[in-house]
Structures are given as C-alpha cells and as structure tokens.
Amino acid sequence: MTQVETARTGQPETAEGSPTLRVSDSATWRTVLHRAIRLASRPEPWKRGPVLVALALFLGLLMLLHAKITNTGGLGSLVETFLPWFGLFVPVLLVGALWRRSASAVVALLLPVTVWLNLFGGLLDDKSQAGGDLTVGSHNVGADNPDPTGTARELTASGADVLALEEITPQALGEYEKALAKTYPHHVVRGTVGLWSKLPLSDTRTVDVAMRGMVGRLAEHLSPEERAATPRGLRTTVATDQGPLAVYVAHLGSVRVMPRNGFWTAQRDGGAQELAKALAAERNERVVLLGDLNGTTGDRAFASLTSQLRSAQDIAGDGFGFTWPAKFPVARIDQILVRGVEPDSSWVLPATGSDHLPVAAGISW
C-alpha cells in the first residue's frame, strides 16, 4: 500500500504490510451510530403508528393502575386474576411497531414493559432452596375425579408430611381414607375438606367460610340440606418437633361469569373475609393456610388475607406456579400461605385425575 493510500484510508500497515482492523471497526460503529441518529431525528418514524402508541400507553396504565379499576361486576378482580398474561400484548404491539416503523410506538412500549417487570419480574427467578423442616401439600382433588385411589397414591409419593384435600365428596371420602391411612396415621375431615398428617393433630374445629347457597361441581354431589350445612374450612394443630403449628384448610366459594352479574365473586369474597377474621384471632405464632381459594393472591378480594400471610410461591417458588385448569394452567388459585415460618421451596406437583394441580412447599422454623 502506498503512502497516499495509507493516508487516505487512515489504516496503518502491519509488519507484513496488511492494514489493522481497529480503526475500521471504530469507523463502522460510528457509521452505524450516525445512521441511527439520522433515522431517529427524522419526523416520519415518530409520526407513524398513533394507534399503536395509544394502545401501548393504555396497556401500561391499565397494569399500573389496576387497583383503581372499579370492581362493579367483579371487573377489578377479573383483571387482577389474569394480570400476568397482559404482558403477552407487548410482543404483539412490538411487532406492529416494527412493521409500521414507528419509533414513537417502540418508545411507548417501555411503559408496559417497565410496569410488568416491576409487578412480576421477581417471579421469573428460581428462589427455592434445599432443606426444610416440614413439607406441606394441598390439592383440590375434584368432585368428578374418576380415580380417588390413584390420586391419593400420587399425593403420597410427593413426600408431604402434612396434606390437605379439598372438594372431597361423601362418595369418595372412604377411598381417600383407605389409600392414605398407611402413610398418614392422623387425619381430620370437616365437610368436604380434610387434613392428613404424619404427625399428631389436636384442637380441630370447623371454620365458617360462608358457604351458604353453595354452587359449582361440588354442589352437584350434595343434597340441598348438605349444601346448606356442609363446612368447607377447618383449623387444627400439628404437633412438630419445633412446637405447635396451626394449619387451616379452606375451599372458598366458586366464581362465575354471569350475564347479569358479570364476574360473580360474592360467595368467595365473603368466605375470604370470614377466613381472615379467624386468622386474625389465631394465637399460635406459626400458621399455614392450605387450600383452593378460587383466586390469585393479586386479587384485591384477598387483601385481608395477604396482609396477614405470605405466599410460599412468591417467596420460594420458581415462576408463577399456575394450577388451574390442570390441562392448561392460567392462574394460581391453589395457595400455600404462611406466617411465623420461613418457606424454603414451593412447587407444583404433577397432574392427577382432578382439574386442579396439587401444590407443595417446604417450610422451616
């Protein structure tokens, strides 16, 4: 290369006479940067896609201000139940923004992305740890479960020391008792909920979760008299090596989408309030709540519960831990909530014959 060529290209020669790439690479990055600045400074990309901009901002504000949404017709509860899924609109809007070459829409998407990560980003990591003094489990076994014995066998294999069952029909109760007896010598049943334990139980009592006028699949297996009188909540004490542990088992009322009432949650919400009162009066410092609450912990209806208890999945789980419906879970409505103990791990168990997935957690003192 001649001196004139070297001077023109700005590339010094190596000992072998070949130019180095350092200056060329730097020039390439400067070129790309200048080109991006020129494109961004043009007015056209910022004027394109006003509808996409509006949708992105609406999505971000909807997630940010979800607590302000009216709960008339259960609208607020419905939004909060499926709020994590609102993040799926972000890539859809991003594709639209890129297709329209709308810089303003891309920038507007920063709002919903930031809000979603602030709300749910902490659930994306695996926070589970090895160990735990006690393993607790819970499962809505399903009133229409075709194989109660098989379900009991699979739950036994989970290794849970304490196991709560919800939606036990009178017809299936004997099968569960027989199948679980060998592993769990202690058990209590109140109505359609029960607790099986490897450790002794005492001080068991019914917890009224306002189930009058019961509806849902379970109601189809009960007479009108049974629906009016059957409890779906209990409280008992588990004797552990570290001291007594108060365990609550609850199956709150079903929710329904109804033409006149919208997302109808009155039965569930009333049960949540009654359960919260019982927990507030609980004197034991160590408390575990197991059950099908028919709602997520992000639902405003459970504020009176989540203000007293912590979710094992949020603290020590991996991901969202969705449990319902079993074939394609979209929400975690089966909960393990604790107070006075430390969750070490939380996980979802394999499917059984139920339409819910079982859940389990390891806790320590």
Side-chain angles (χ1 to χ4, degrees), residues 63 79-88 116 120 123 320 322:
M63 292 191 291
V79 169
E80 289 163 345
T81 296
F82 299 104
L83 196 60
W85 293 95
F86 280 53
L88 292 179
W116 192 93
F120 306 111
L123 296 175
F320 292 92
F322 295 146

Side-chain angles (χ1 to χ4, degrees), residues 62-71 76 79-80 83 300:
L62 181 66
M63 292 191 291
L64 179 65
L65 304 175
H66 65 88
K68 303 296 183 181
I69 299 173
T70 177
N71 209 30
V79 169
E80 289 163 345
L83 196 60
R300 67 189 66 185

